[in-house]
């Protein structure tokens, strides 16, 4: 009886589907799409930064010719006590602003998360300060906190008739309050959006298991908002470096 041995046919390589692309081609496509943003960032971000760094190593009055100064400018700035005082005040504004704005924004976000006409009205009302310019807000609060004719002249509010913006002990915290007044609504909007993304089934299951409001907030709400918390905190800390216009707009207010 003869035995027939069949050789397997060669398998043709699988063809890629029409909708798929190779990893290298996908990576090139992603870089191509990001090229305009990278170009703008390099043109308006990196190039000025390199230019400022180069000027810091030069001796130039803005009109004449450039001269090499080395690290003399840096040594002068770092040896000046005003530089370290400014850095300390900047760090203080960052930390105190974060400690003040975070709980307030979270509380407002929790209040605004449930849908309703009244909550929507308050959400729009609280968002209005963010639409105003920083200089306008600074000048407005400068007038409101003036010890002569500001809100301190109102009956019952005489305890505010003091130079809040002119006192070395109170000026910094008064400016931080004005900053929080303007930017807390924005971060509350972030927390509101994050809360509305949490599945309702998590709260329903926790309620069936007997978890109270506090337990649901600590075990469900806060863990689900961790990425929103990181985003909000990053914007707060980075934004604390850009409050020059608001602080300059408030200006010192002294009595008399």
């Amino acid at each position: 009886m003869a035995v027939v041995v069949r050789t397997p046919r060669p398998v043709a390589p699988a063809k890629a589907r029409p909708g798929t692309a190779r990893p290298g081609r996908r990576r090139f496509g992603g870089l191509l799409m990001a090229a305009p943003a990278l170009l703008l960032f390099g043109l308006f971000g990196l190039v000025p930064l390199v230019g400022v760094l180069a000027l810091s190593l030069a001796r130039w009055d803005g009109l004449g010719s450039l001269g090499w100064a080395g690290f003399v400018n840096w040594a002068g700035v770092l040896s000046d006590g005003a530089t370290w005082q400014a850095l300390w005040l900047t760090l203080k504004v960052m930390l105190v602003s974060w400690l003040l704005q975070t709980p307030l924004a979270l509380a407002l976000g929790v209040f605004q998360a449930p849908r309703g006409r009244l909550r929507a009205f308050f959400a729009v009302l609280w968002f209005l300060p963010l639409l105003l310019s920083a200089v306008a807000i600074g000048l407005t609060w400068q007038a409101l906190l003036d010890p002569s004719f500001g809100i301190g002249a109102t009956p019952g509010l005489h305890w505010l008739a003091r130079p809040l913006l002119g006192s070395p002990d109170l000026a910094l915290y008064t400016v931080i309050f004005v900053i929080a007044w303007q930017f807390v609504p924005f971060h509350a909007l972030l927390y509101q959006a994050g809360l509305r993304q949490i599945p309702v089934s998590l709260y329903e299951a926790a309620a069936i298991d007997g978890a109270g409001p506090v337990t649901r907030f600590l075990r469900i709400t806060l863990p689900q908002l961790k990425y929103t918390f990181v985003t909000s905190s990053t914007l707060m800390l980075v934004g604390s470096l850009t409050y020059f216009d608001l602080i300059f707009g408030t200006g010192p207010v002294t009595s008399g």
Side-chain angles (χ1 to χ4, degrees), residues 42-66:
L43 184 61
F44 296 102
L46 296 181
V47 172
L49 183 62
V50 174
V52 170
L53 181 61
L55 288 177
S56 68
L57 302 176
R59 185 182 292 107
W60 188 42
D61 59 359
L63 297 176
S65 59
L66 287 171

Side-chain angles (χ1 to χ4, degrees), residues 22-231:
R22 296 178 179 179
R25 188 173 300 176
R26 289 200 302 267
R27 190 179 300 110
F28 176 76
L31 292 176
L32 188 62
M33 294 178 63
L38 294 176
L39 180 62
L40 290 176
F41 175 74
L43 184 61
F44 296 102
L46 296 181
V47 172
L49 183 62
V50 174
V52 170
L53 181 61
L55 288 177
S56 68
L57 302 176
R59 185 182 292 107
W60 188 42
D61 59 359
L63 297 176
S65 59
L66 287 171
W68 176 255
F71 293 97
V72 176
N73 296 329
W74 284 92
V77 169
L78 296 178
S79 61
D80 190 356
T83 301
W84 299 104
Q85 178 68 11
L87 291 176
W88 165 243
L89 289 177
T90 302
L91 180 62
K92 203 171 183 180
V93 168
M94 293 173 64
L95 295 178
V96 178
S97 296
W98 181 81
L99 291 175
L100 177 63
Q101 294 184 51
T102 300
L104 291 177
L106 180 59
L108 288 178
V110 172
F111 174 78
Q112 296 171 190
R115 302 182 184 277
R117 293 183 178 179
L118 182 61
R119 299 176 191 271
F121 169 76
F122 280 115
V124 174
L125 184 65
W126 290 329
F127 198 76
L128 290 179
L130 196 64
L131 303 179
L132 304 176
S133 67
V135 176
I137 292 176
L139 294 176
T140 301
W141 278 99
Q142 183 186 35
L144 289 174
L145 298 177
D146 190 282
S148 300
F149 59 87
I151 56 178
T154 305
L157 297 177
H158 296 294
W159 57 278
L160 289 175
R162 60 180 68 185
L164 296 176
L165 291 172
S167 172
D169 300 326
L170 301 175
L172 180 65
Y173 300 102
T174 304
V175 171
I176 291 175
F177 166 77
V178 176
I179 292 172
W181 179 82
Q182 182 182 11
F183 290 100
V184 160
F186 170 75
H187 297 282
L189 188 65
L190 294 180
Y191 284 110
Q192 172 188 339
L195 283 164
R196 290 185 176 179
Q197 298 299 320
I198 301 176
V200 183
S201 58
L202 296 178
Y203 294 101
E204 294 175 349
I208 293 175
D209 292 337
V214 177
T215 303
R216 293 197 297 267
F217 179 78
L218 296 177
R219 298 296 182 88
I220 298 177
T221 303
L222 289 183
Q224 293 291 324
L225 290 176
K226 59 181 179 180
Y227 296 113
T228 306
F229 175 79
V230 172
T231 302

